[in-house]
Amino acid sequence: MAVNAVIDLNNQTFAFLQQEDFVNAIESSSNALRCCKPVAISRPAPMLNECLDHCMLHSPVKPAPSSTSDALFIYRHGILIPPTITDLRVITPILIFNTALAHQLLAEQLL
């Protein structure tokens, strides 16, 4: 599967996280991780100046609900991957982060 398909699956995960549909976010993020492995094996990583911070800064963020000062802070925003990012050394941590975030938010929702 091509890197573009992995990016599309991640960005689908991002949309599910924005909609607070954590079950589908987990499913799509897991699919992205499974698809990423064969791509990583078959394709050498290019030497590009892409970074995770760039992706985080350019991901739209929903305003956080007001909370009390003693409430546990949980980062609730997924990371969107722009189509210009192709370096798997940047994409893979984003996939892992979004998968973990979806699991964390679902667990919180079920409490």
Side-chain angles (χ1 to χ4, degrees):
M1 183 170 277
V3 172
N4 290 339
V6 172
I7 292 171
D8 289 343
L9 283 168
N10 176 77
N11 294 345
Q12 184 180 50
T13 300
F14 178 85
F16 286 133
L17 287 169
Q18 293 282 66
Q19 298 166 10
E20 297 183 6
D21 183 355
F22 305 127
V23 172
N24 282 324
I26 290 169
E27 184 177 340
S28 65
S29 64
S30 298
N31 287 337
L33 280 169
R34 276 192 291 278
C35 293
C36 188
K37 185 177 179 181
V39 171
I41 291 170
S42 65
R43 179 184 161 170
M47 295 303 293
L48 299 174
N49 191 17
E50 301 171 341
C51 71
L52 180 61
D53 293 341
H54 169 79
C55 295
M56 291 181 78
L57 289 172
H58 289 91
S59 294
V61 176
K62 285 182 8 183
S66 58
S67 61
T68 62
S69 61
D70 56 338
L72 177 64
F73 174 77
I74 298 175
Y75 188 82
R76 301 179 173 279
H77 309 291
I79 303 171
L80 193 63
I81 303 174
T84 56
I85 302 293
T86 58
D87 189 343
L88 290 172
R89 294 169 295 181
V90 175
I91 293 172
T92 304
I94 293 172
L95 298 176
I96 294 168
F97 176 85
N98 285 342
T99 303
L101 178 64
H103 279 89
Q104 175 66 35
L105 294 175
L106 178 62
E108 181 189 52
Q109 189 180 59
L110 295 176
L111 291 178

